[in-house]
Amino acid sequence: SDNSKNRNIIEELERLKNEVLTDPLTKLGNRRLAQMKIETRMQELTTYDIPFGVLFMDIDHFKQFNDNYSHEVGDQVLVMVATTISNQLRGMDIGARWGGEEFIIVLGNVDHEALGIIAERVRFFIEKSWLSVDGNNLGVTVSIGGTLAQKGESLEELVKRADLLM
């Protein structure tokens, strides 16, 4: 029937949209999704004064995991960090892989205090997670920079400031 055909098309579009906006390795959002979400939040900030912030993070000494172990282990580290990020997000937040070993979290409706608390929680839980590789427990730490968005600034300016605060 036409109805089920339409339903299949809608499901297929939904699947494609998810594919286009998802990082295949970590299953977090990708850079494009983060950019879209920041643009939306910027409009909300300008129009309704709803504040938002971004956390920008980098896995410390990531190259060592690839060099000392393997790219597979490096990938597992990325997945572990991404999973930890996902588990710390509130419903209105979005986590994304910005590129390489960089991640970004877009936090809806936060002030400086909430931004700091969430950043610290994410950092703490990543530090407490570990991978078992060849009988060794591999831990990982992240550097995080966080900032609230300011009206009228560009996406690039916002992300750059968070990056510099790392």
Side-chain angles (χ1 to χ4, degrees), residues 114-132:
L115 192 76
I117 290 168
I118 296 167
E120 179 50 35
R121 200 172 66 208
V122 169
R123 192 200 61 72
F124 174 81
F125 279 106
I126 289 171
E127 198 178 287
K128 290 283 172 251
S129 49
W130 48 271
L131 280 178
S132 187

Side-chain angles (χ1 to χ4, degrees), residues 98-150:
W98 192 250
E101 68 274 25
E102 297 173 330
F103 294 88
I104 195 164
I105 301 178
V106 184
L107 298 168
N109 203 3
V110 285
D111 56 15
H112 273 291
E113 193 185 0
L115 192 76
I117 290 168
I118 296 167
E120 179 50 35
R121 200 172 66 208
V122 169
R123 192 200 61 72
F124 174 81
F125 279 106
I126 289 171
E127 198 178 287
K128 290 283 172 251
S129 49
W130 48 271
L131 280 178
S132 187
V133 178
D134 302 333
N136 296 326
N137 289 347
L138 294 189
V140 61
T141 58
V142 289
S143 300
I144 301 184
T147 187
L148 293 179
Q150 293 162 10

Side-chain angles (χ1 to χ4, degrees), residues 14 17 20 26 36 39-40 45 49 55 75 93 101 108 111-113 141 145 149 153 161:
E14 196 58 33
K17 188 181 88 176
V20 169
T26 63
M36 284 168 55
E39 297 293 353
T40 305
L45 175 64
D49 265 335
L55 298 176
D75 284 353
D93 305 331
E101 68 274 25
D111 56 15
H112 273 291
E113 193 185 0
T141 58
E153 74 181 331
R161 189 168 65 253

Side-chain angles (χ1 to χ4, degrees), residues 61-77:
H61 316 299
F62 181 70
K63 205 172 142 343
Q64 289 178 0
F65 290 102
N66 287 334
D67 293 350
N68 297 343
Y69 297 95
S70 65
H71 280 283
E72 286 74 29
V73 171
D75 284 353
Q76 288 176 342
V77 167

